[in-house]
Amino acid sequence: MAAAAPPASGRVFQFKLVLLGDSAVGKSSLVLRFVRGQFFEYQESTIGAAFLTQTVALNDTTVKFEIWDTAGQERYHSLAPMYYRGAAAAIVVYDITNRDTFQRGKQWVKELQRQGNPNIVIALAGNKSDLASKRKVEPEEAESYASDNGIFFMETSAKTATNVNELFVAIARKLPKNTPQPRPGGSGIVIAGQNGQAAAEAKKGCC
Amino acid sequence: MDDWKAAFGEEWDAVVLGTGMKECLLSGLLSVAGKKVLHLDRNDYYGGASASLDINQLFEKFQAGAPPSEAELGKLRDWAVDMVPKFIMAGGQLVKVLIHTKTANYMEFKAVDGSYCYRAPKARSSGEFGRVHKVPLTPKEALSSSMLSMLEKGRMGKFTMWVASIDCGKPEGFFEDGSFRDMPYWTRVGMTGRKKMPLTQWNGDQFFKDWGLEAGTIEFLTHVCALYRDESWRSAPALEVVSRMQLYLESRTRFAGMTSPYLYPLFGLGELPQAFARLAAVHGGTYMLNRDLDGSPVFGPNDLSLEYAEDGTVAGVVNHDGEEAVVARTKTVVGDPSYFAGKTKPTGSVVRAIALLDAPLAEMEKDGASSCQVIFPAAQCGRCNDLYLFLCSNAHKVAPAGKYVAFLSTKVEGPTQGMSNEQIAHRELAAGLALFTRPGAPMPLHLFYDAYPTYAPLTNGTKDRVFISESFDATSHFETAINDVLDMYQRITGETLNLDALAAAASAEQ
Ligand SMILES: Nc1nc2c(ncn2[C@@H]2O[C@H](COP(=O)(O)OP(=O)(O)OP(=O)(O)O)[C@@H](O)[C@H]2O)c(=O)[nH]1
Ligand SMILES: [Mg+2]
C-alpha cells in the first residue's frame, strides 16, 4: 500500500492536514486506521493526541502529513480558527448514517473556504460506509455537492479500511509540489528548547 | 436538557472565565497538571481583550464609517490586528512555557527585525523632529551608532561584554572587610585594575555611576534593554538591573539569525490564546464559547455569575438560561477582570493609536526591517511613562503584501474627563504620532484611537479562591504579563512552576 512507506528517493514535502466534522463521525478512527492500521469499536472521544505524522510515497516524491485532530473543541462549537490556519489540506468527515453530520460538514467546508488558506485542498469523507443498511446520505448527493463546491469526495470506512489509504493518497497527489513551501511563512523560527544560546535552526521549506 | 448543560453542570477542578491569553495559558497549565477544567467565554471568539481582529471587526469596533476597501487596503482577509500588541522576548518566560508545554508546535514564529530607541530633537522648539536609532549593542553596532559619542563607543563595548559575561547567580567572592562583611561581589577590570562590585548592595544609580556611562546611554540601557517603564531602576538592586539587561542580550542570540531580542507569531498574537486553549483541550479541558450551532448566544448578559459557600469560598459558576439555573460546581474560579465587577480596582488607563500603513518608517527601510519595536524613554517625551511603538507587516502574516500595521501605546498620565480617545492620544502619544506626520513620513491609510481602563484584583484570591488576572499594561512585550500568570499559578495550586527545569526536560524528550 502507498501509506507508511519509508521516504522514497526524491523530494519530501511536509503538509499540515486537519480533520473536521461532528463528534463521533469517525475522525480519530480514520487517522488511527491510516497511521497505525488499527480500529477500535469503542474509540473514545478524542483527548490526548496533539498530532500524528504519516508519510505517503508517490512516484517521485514523498508527502509527510502532520495530521491534526480536533481535541474535542468542536463539541460545543468552540473550535479555534488557529486549528486550520496554515493547513494545506482538510478532511471534512460526516457519518453516512446521520444526515445532521452531513449538514454540519457543509458548514465546515464553507468556513474553510472563507477563512482557511486560499489554496487548501478539501476532501469530503462520508465515513462508516460499512453501515450501508442504515444509510441516510446517498453518495450521489454528496458527490454532486462536492463537485459544485470544487472539492473531492470519497466514502470511507475506518472499520473495514475501505478507501482510507486511498483518501490520503488522493490528497497527497492533489497537493501542490512545485513550491517548496508547505506552510505559509516557512522561514520561521522553530522554538525548541536546547538549554540556552543559539539553539534553533531556521525552518526549511522542505526537508 | 441540552447537551452542553449536562456537561456544564458537572463538578470541575477549576472554571476559567474569559479566553484571553493569560486565562488560556492558565487553563493549559492546569490541564497539563491533570486538573479538570471548564473554560467559558461570553464572546463567540477566542482571545477576549487580547484577540486579533480581522479588518471588518476592526472597522466595526472603531466605527470607521465606510467599509474597508480592497483597492486601498489590499487583500482584506490578510489583515489581523492585535488588540493587545506585544512581542515575545526570545529568552523570556513565555518561550520557556511554549517549550515546556510543546505549544510552540502549534504555531510558527518569526524574529522581529529591529529594536530601536527614540531620541528627542536637541532643541524642541526649533521645528526639528526626534530620531529613531537602532539599539547599539554589539561592539560593531556601537562603533557605527550615531547615538554614542566616540569615547562612549569604547565604554559601551566593554560594558555589554561584561554584562554578558557574569553569572548573576554566582558571586565571585565575599567582602570580608568593614561594612560589606559577607557581602557577595562580582569583579570588573577597569583602568585601575580589578575592582570588586557589590551588586546586591548597590542600587542601579550607584552601579551606573561606577561605570561612568553617559546619561543618554544609561537611559537606553535601562528603558530599552532592561525594560524599565519609568525611573524605578535607580533604586532597584543593581543585580536585578544587570540580569534584566542579560535577558535582552541573551534573547538576541537565542535563535539563529535574530537581529532583535523579540519573536512574534505568524497571523498575530490572537493565535497564542488559541494555541494554549488547544493545549488545554488536548489535556481534557472543555471549551464553551458563547455560541450554539447556528452562532446564536447560549449565555445571557447576566450569566456566569459566582455562587459562594457559607465560609465565603467560591462554590460554582451560575448560568441562568431563562428560569432554570445550571451551576458548574467548582472550588476554584479563574478569570479576567471583566468578569468580576466589584472585585477589582482601577489601576489607570492605556491609550493606543493603531495605524494601517503602506510604507514602513524610513529608519526601518534603511535597515531592510519589516518589523520593529521602538521604545520612547519617558524623559525624551517629557513624560513619566515610556511610549511603545510596535510595527509589523506581511512578513508576520498580519497585513497584506506591502502593508504595515503600527501600534503606539502608553499609560495615560493626564485627566481624561470629557475627552475623546483621539484627544487623549494626541496629548499622550504626541512624540510617537509625530513619526507619521513629519515630512516624508508614511501617511497612515487609517488611524484608530483606543483608550481603556486597566484593573487589578482587590485581593490575591487565596481566601475566596477567585483568582483574577490583571489587565494588560501598555508595554509592547510579554514579560510583565507572564509574571502575573506564573504568580497566579502559584497562588492557585500552591506550587511554583520551575520553567527552566521543565523546559530542559521537554527539550531532552524531543
Ligand atoms: N461501523 C463503523 N464505525 C465507525 C467507523 N469509524 C468510526 N466508527 C465508530 O464511531 C465512533 C466514533 O469514532 P471516533 O473516531 O471517536 O469519532 P470522532 O469523530 O473522532 O469523535 P470525537 O473525537 O468525539 O470528535 C467509535 O465508536 C468508532 O468505533 C466506521 O467506519 N464504521
Ligand atoms: Mg476524535
Side-chain angles (χ1 to χ4, degrees), chain B residues 97-317:
Chain B
V97 175
L98 286 164
I99 293 170
H100 153 52
T101 58
K102 304 202 172 117
T103 315
N105 294 340
Y106 301 153
M107 304 170 65
E108 271 196 88
F109 296 85
K110 223 175 144 108
V112 172
D113 291 332
S115 164
Y116 296 82
C117 179
Y118 172 85
R119 282 270 173 95
K122 288 221 174 61
R124 260 178 225 184
S125 51
S126 66
E128 268 182 67
F129 289 88
R131 290 186 54 196
V132 170
H133 300 265
K134 205 165 165 84
V135 176
L137 284 183
T138 62
K140 199 173 145 223
E141 286 167 348
L143 271 182
S144 63
S145 174
S146 53
M147 252 180 127
L148 302 169
S149 68
M150 248 358 258
L151 273 175
E152 193 72 345
K153 288 182 205 285
R155 277 195 291 260
M156 253 298 284
K158 273 208 197 92
F159 176 77
T160 47
M161 260 164 55
W162 178 85
V163 168
S165 71
I166 72 158
D167 185 341
C168 285
K170 227 199 247 157
E172 287 154 33
F174 294 87
F175 287 100
E176 278 155 16
D177 50 332
S179 59
F180 279 167
R181 203 172 174 77
D182 295 335
M183 220 19 109
Y185 68 77
W186 287 257
T187 49
R188 76 172 173 105
V189 183
M191 303 278 260
T192 53
R194 294 173 76 78
K195 181 158 189 218
K196 294 178 178 177
M197 309 179 76
L199 293 185
T200 56
Q201 186 76 352
W202 277 351
N203 61 30
D205 241 349
Q206 290 168 300
F207 170 73
F208 282 110
K209 214 166 265 150
D210 187 76
W211 277 92
L213 293 166
E214 289 169 10
T217 312
I218 297 171
E219 182 177 68
F220 83 72
L221 286 170
T222 50
H223 288 254
V224 184
C225 304
L227 298 175
Y228 285 96
R229 287 177 272 175
D230 47 31
E231 293 301 288
S232 58
W233 60 269
R234 290 186 186 279
S235 52
L239 197 62
E240 177 194 293
V241 179
V242 172
S243 62
R244 286 172 76 153
M245 286 187 288
Q246 282 189 339
L247 172 62
Y248 184 98
L249 290 170
E250 282 165 16
S251 293
R252 292 231 332 185
T253 53
R254 179 67 180 80
F255 300 103
M258 291 190 69
T259 48
S260 86
Y262 299 108
L263 299 174
Y264 184 72
L266 298 190
F267 304 109
L269 273 188
E271 300 297 278
L272 214 48
Q274 297 181 48
F276 286 121
R278 176 166 166 84
L279 171 75
V282 163
H283 287 87
T286 300
Y287 276 81
M288 293 184 191
L289 301 185
N290 197 4
R291 68 179 174 215
D292 65 9
L293 187 58
D294 42 306
S296 42
V298 290
F299 309 133
N302 298 317
D303 282 345
L304 309 181
S305 55
L306 301 187
E307 196 174 88
Y308 291 89
E310 259 166 38
D311 65 358
T313 60
V314 77
V317 174

Side-chain angles (χ1 to χ4, degrees), chain A residues 24 26-29 43-47 69-72 74-75:
Chain A
K27 298 180 295 294
S28 305
S29 299
Q43 174 68 35
E44 280 193 36
S45 207
T46 300
I47 54 168
D69 200 346
T70 55
E74 81 288 13
R75 207 157 303 141

